[in-house]
Structure formats: structure tokens, C-alpha cells
Amino acid sequence: MRFHLTAERQLPMILFSRSGVTHLRRFLGAAEGELTGVEARPWFAFSLLYATGCAVLALRQAFASEYLLADDVREHVFWMFRFVDHRLFPQDPIADYFQSLAPIGYATLYWLLARVGIDPLLASKLLPSVLSLFAAGYFFALALRVFRSPAAATLAAILFCQCLWLNSDLSSATPRAFFYPLFVAFLYYDVRGSMIGVLVTIGLEGILFPPAALLSLGVLALNCLHWENGLRLGPGSRAYLVFAAAFGLILVCLWPYLHSVGAFGPLVTYTEARQMPEFGPDGRVPFFFPSLWGYWVSGNGGLHTPPTRPPWFFAAFLWPLLRRFPNQFPLLKEVPRGARPLSQIAGAALLLFVAAHVLLFRLYLPNRYTQPTVRVLLILAAAGVMLALLDAALLWAEKRSERRLFVSAVGVVGLSVVLLGAVAAFPLLLSHFPTNSYIKGTDPNLYHFFARQPVTIRIASLSDEANNLPTFCRRSIIIGAECAVPFHPAYYLPLRERGLQLALAQYSADLSIVQQCVRDQRIDFWLLDRSAFSRNYSHHCRLLRQIRMSAPDQPLSTVHGVPPVLQRPPPESVAFEDAKFVVLDARRLLVLHTH
């Protein structure tokens, strides 16, 4: 017993001795030789375990209700119910439009899942968690190549998992959800020098999320350059070969997509967009802002506002400062060898950001090239800075005198354990994690009513609830705020006209105007909010606000003293009603007689 007590007392002395602190620094720091899989495997397993925990939290949130969906599913996924039942959304320009926008690989993936019994709504809830595991795994491998430290790679993977679930890109289950796993995989294979890996990931990017493929191509283009008394072409031929192969592969992958997108005519031009309120600060796609900060930083045309979630992003801004003191922060000495592509990533993102402004909307929105890239770069830098600070603190303790070494080492290690524990447990400290943009349907009876109707029905409504109907009920709507995207005039302008006619008819006291709208738009049911005729309704209804901006002089609200026809519809025309909504049978409206 005496021997065991003595060993237990000696253990802290050994751990916090000078040699113990030195071994701890070596354990956390960069490897001197080539890293082996055996050394990195436990760290990798812990990273994936943490990623799995976050994914489980996300799944619990996604399946909290039967009628729950990610915000952008209402645009990019609803039409895929055609894979389940080809009769759905017949002659529906909204479904046809978003189907034309879907990259071929993205649509094929949902088609394959539908073939094995996983419908699009279910798939949209499962895919983000699966993608998060791939993203975390590749991010660990990338950080390990950059820092040559399994500890730094694990910390980077943990921060990256938090970043993934603290913004809505991944949880959207739309094409942009594939950016992080595919682009990080590309970076890993690029740093590793695997030509096959680079080409496979670029090909997948091309068929799943084309902006990521263009960004990767930009990185490969900058690989062909090097700095030697100025910017020069690289001496080797391998970089040119990889770039040429990737360029040809992207052309092959994007050709069908470009043909599909062109089905609805040319994109809106800069001049047209500048005159459309839909691209203004309060529009459907906020792009043109009066301030320079709004336009070049925070909006859809901006670089990216400084990210604040998770807060560890801010540590990244210490990177340039710490690099000035290599003796005090030696962990960052080895980084330049593995981190050479990081400057190329930033350069490629900025070049495509500029190109997206020059070719406005032809390369989609400029911030699609900078926003996610900034997150990837800042997470890498933040992890390096945080571990470099820990290493510097241990180095300071290591240099203390023998009399103060033990106390200093205990303090540094104890504080580090507390801080790193707080970093890992950060999601549990939040009131909502993940902070996904999920929309919860609140009226199952309404959804059941429409789902029982023939698949050919068309529903007219200005209500925000109309956005949910194609996904929850698999039925067509005339217009909705979510689907009213103004990028293609041939699609959007007729849609806007239908919305204006619908709004004018809803607030008209003339029955003939209502009946004409029903005939023109072949309306079967008209969904009304109970509050649709209240004074403040136009301020809360997204679609009505958007229509008002494009037609400010039209009477799109109730005129005092003149009740609209639909405010007090005949009882025989009411097909469904509850506390929130009234559904009118539009065919009954056609048989009414004007007075």
C-alpha cells in the first residue's frame, strides 16, 4: 500500500516536472518526422465522435415534428416529389423552374434516394448529418497536413463542426450544403498531392455545387504560379497538367447544367436588376445597398461580415501578430510548409468574387465564393492560434525556475483544460444548437385537406403558409414569397404579374374581377389568412410587401367602407376553415352572380 501511495504522490510531480511539460509540448505540437496513421487514429476517432454528437443533436431537431423542413427546401427540394409520383405538379412553372436550376448530381442523388424509399423531405433531414461527418473527417485530415499536429487537427475539427451547425448552409440540404465536404476534401487532396483525389472531388463539385468547382479551379490555377522576385509561372509541369485536366472535367460537368438553366431564357442584366426593387435593401434578394459597407461587405454582393458564431473565429485575427514572434510561438514555425495553399484559397475566392461582380449573376451571387471560404480559413487559423497560445504558455512554464515550475505548470494546464473543455462544450451552453433555419408547419388539418384533393389542383394565396404547401401537401401554388426569385425575367415577371392580379382580386369589391382572376389563373382553391383583411396585414405578409414594392400605386389592401368580396365570402364557397385559415372553393365563386 505504501508503494502505491508513493506512486500516486509522485505522478503529479512527474507530470508537472520540466521533462513532463516538455513531453506535453511534444505531444501537442507538430511532429518532427512523418506522421503515421497509428499516431493520428485516436485523435481522428475523437473528432468523428464529436461530429457524431453534433449530428445526433441535428437529427433530434430535424425530427422534432412531422411538419418540419429547412427553409430552402421550399425552393430546391419540393419539386423532387415528382420522383415519388410523376403526376405531381403538372404544368407548374414554379416546379419546372426550380427543377431546371438543380445541378444534375444533386437531382440524381435525391432520385436514387427516392428509388429506395427515402422521400425528398426525409432525405433533406438525413443528408446534412451525413455530410457533416464527411466534412469533419476531411477537415481533420486537412488540418493535420497543415499543422502536422493531431491535437491542432482535432481542435480544428471541433471548431469546424460548431461552425457547420451554427449557420444554415449545411442544414439547408440544398446544393450549397455540399460545399463544405467537397471543397475541404479537394483542399486535402491538393495539399496531399493526389491528382486522382483532386479530379474526383472537382467532378463531384461540378455536378453538385458548381461554384465550389470554380473556386477549386481557381486554387489550381494559382498553383501554377509562385513568388520569386515577383509573381512568375511555376517551373514544374504537374500543376499545369492537373489544371488542364480539371478545366476539361468542369466543362464536361457544367455543360448539361448550363443548358438546363437556359430553359427560362437569359439572366437579369445589371441595368434591369438596378431598377428592380426586388434587388434593393428590402427586396427578395438584397443586393444593391446605399452604403459601401452594405454593398461590399454585408449583402449578397459583399465579401462577408466578420463571423461571430462560434466566437473562436476572433482568435484567427491574432495569427499575423503571433507570426511576428516565432521564438515565443514556435508551434507556428512549421505551418508555412503545409499551409502554402491557404493564400491561394484566399486569392481564388477574391478573384471569383471580382469576376462574379463583373459578370453579375452569371456566376451566381458574389458572396457564394467568399462567405464559406472565409469560414474555412478562419477556423484553420483560429485552431492554430489557440493551440499556439497553449504551447506558448507551456513554454513559459517550462522556463520557470525549479521552485516555481510545479505551480506554473499546474496553473497553465488547469486553465487550458478548463478553456478547452468550455470550447468543446460550447454547443451545450447555447439555448438552440444547431441553429438551423427550420420552419415548422402549424396546421396539419390544412395540409391533410389539400393532400386529399386531386394532384392537378392549383392553390392561390398571399399567405406565408402557401410556401409550405408544395412540400407538405404536394400540391401546386400560383405564387409564394419563397419561389418569387427574380434572377430570370422570363420566369419572374409573369409570376409577379400573377401575384399582382391575385392581390388586386383579393382586395376588390367587384366580383367580376375576382372571377376573372380565377379563370385567368385556373384557380381551384383560394387560401386566406383570418387576418388577411386587417389593417396591418400588408406589413406582415412577405409576398404582399414584395408585390407592393413593384406596384406601389395599386390598391393592395382593404379600402375603408368598401368590404372586398372575399372578406365575407358566401358560406357555400367555404371548403375548409379553422382558427387560422379559410379555404374557398374557387369554382363556387364562378357561379355567383354580380349585383
Side-chain angles (χ1 to χ4, degrees), residues 10-31:
Q10 287 179 343
L11 184 59
M13 299 298 294
I14 295 173
L15 287 176
F16 299 110
S17 65
R18 196 176 306 279
S19 61
V21 173
T22 301
H23 279 90
L24 182 57
R25 288 190 59 230
R26 289 177 180 172
F27 179 69
L28 297 176

Side-chain angles (χ1 to χ4, degrees), residues 86-119:
H86 68 276
R87 300 173 302 162
L88 294 177
F89 310 114
Q91 298 180 343
D92 186 336
I94 297 174
D96 293 343
Y97 176 70
F98 284 102
Q99 183 171 356
S100 75
L101 296 182
I104 186 171
Y106 176 71
T108 301
L109 176 61
Y110 274 87
W111 177 80
L112 290 172
L113 293 173
R115 299 294 293 177
V116 297
I118 302 176
D119 71 59

Side-chain angles (χ1 to χ4, degrees), residues 213-520:
L214 296 179
L215 187 59
S216 298
L217 188 65
V219 172
L220 294 179
L222 294 179
N223 280 348
C224 300
L225 306 175
H226 74 291
W227 187 270
E228 184 180 337
N229 298 323
L231 196 61
R232 302 176 184 275
L233 291 174
S237 60
R238 185 180 182 281
Y240 301 106
L241 178 63
V242 175
F243 172 76
F247 183 78
L249 181 61
I250 288 177
L251 285 181
V252 172
C253 292
L254 292 187
W255 184 257
Y257 178 69
L258 295 175
H259 177 74
S260 173
V261 171
F264 279 83
L267 283 160
V268 63
T269 66
Y270 174 87
T271 303
E272 291 170 340
R274 201 80 171 103
Q275 298 172 350
M276 294 173 66
E278 289 83 354
F279 289 98
D282 300 318
R284 177 65 177 80
V285 182
F287 192 90
F288 298 106
F289 290 82
S291 67
L292 291 177
W293 176 270
Y295 184 73
W296 291 108
V297 179
S298 64
N300 284 295
L303 287 166
H304 188 27
T305 50
T308 58
R309 298 192 309 173
W312 331 119
F313 272 132
F314 291 108
F317 297 105
L318 294 175
W319 181 283
L321 178 64
L322 301 191
R323 286 292 303 276
R324 291 180 174 272
F325 303 96
N327 294 329
Q328 288 80 9
F329 302 97
L331 187 68
L332 300 181
K333 279 184 178 180
E334 297 295 325
V335 169
R337 287 193 302 171
R340 179 175 174 269
L342 299 186
S343 59
Q344 295 161 357
I345 299 168
L350 289 174
L351 286 174
L352 281 164
F353 174 80
V354 173
H357 272 282
V358 173
L359 304 170
L360 194 57
F361 305 129
R362 272 68 186 167
L363 298 179
Y364 199 34
L365 297 170
N367 69 348
R368 291 296 187 266
Y369 300 98
T370 53
Q371 230 177 47
T373 309
V374 165
R375 293 188 182 115
V376 170
L377 292 176
L378 289 186
I379 285 293
L380 274 174
V385 165
M386 293 170 72
L387 209 65
L389 291 172
L390 171 59
D391 179 68
L394 290 172
L395 178 62
W396 170 80
E398 185 182 22
K399 293 180 178 179
R400 302 285 283 174
S401 63
E402 289 292 340
R403 188 165 59 89
R404 298 180 179 180
L405 174 62
F406 182 81
V407 175
S408 301
V410 169
V412 169
V413 173
L415 181 61
S416 300
V417 169
V418 171
L419 292 178
L420 291 177
V423 169
F426 175 69
L428 301 178
L429 305 177
L430 300 174
S431 58
H432 292 91
F433 182 88
T435 54
N436 297 328
S437 56
Y438 281 123
I439 304 296
K440 184 177 181 180
T442 59
D443 204 320
N445 291 331
L446 177 70
Y447 310 142
H448 291 156
F449 168 77
F450 281 127
R452 291 193 300 266
Q453 307 305 318
V455 295
T456 56
I457 66 166
R458 290 164 57 85
I459 305 166
S461 183
L462 300 179
S463 171
D464 290 340
E465 191 62 49
N467 298 305
N468 301 329
L469 300 183
T471 308
F472 289 152
C473 312
R474 287 59 152 165
R475 298 298 181 265
S476 297
I477 59 174
I478 302 295
I479 187 175
E482 283 298 315
C483 64
V485 289
F487 293 111
H488 288 83
Y491 162 76
Y492 177 69
L493 294 182
L495 185 74
R496 187 172 71 178
E497 287 301 313
R498 292 197 296 273
L500 178 58
Q501 185 185 22
L502 185 66
L504 289 171
Q506 179 165 306
Y507 292 102
S508 174
D510 187 342
L511 177 59
S512 64
I513 293 179
V514 177
Q515 293 174 330
Q516 187 62 45
C517 179
V518 171
R519 294 190 192 95
D520 290 347

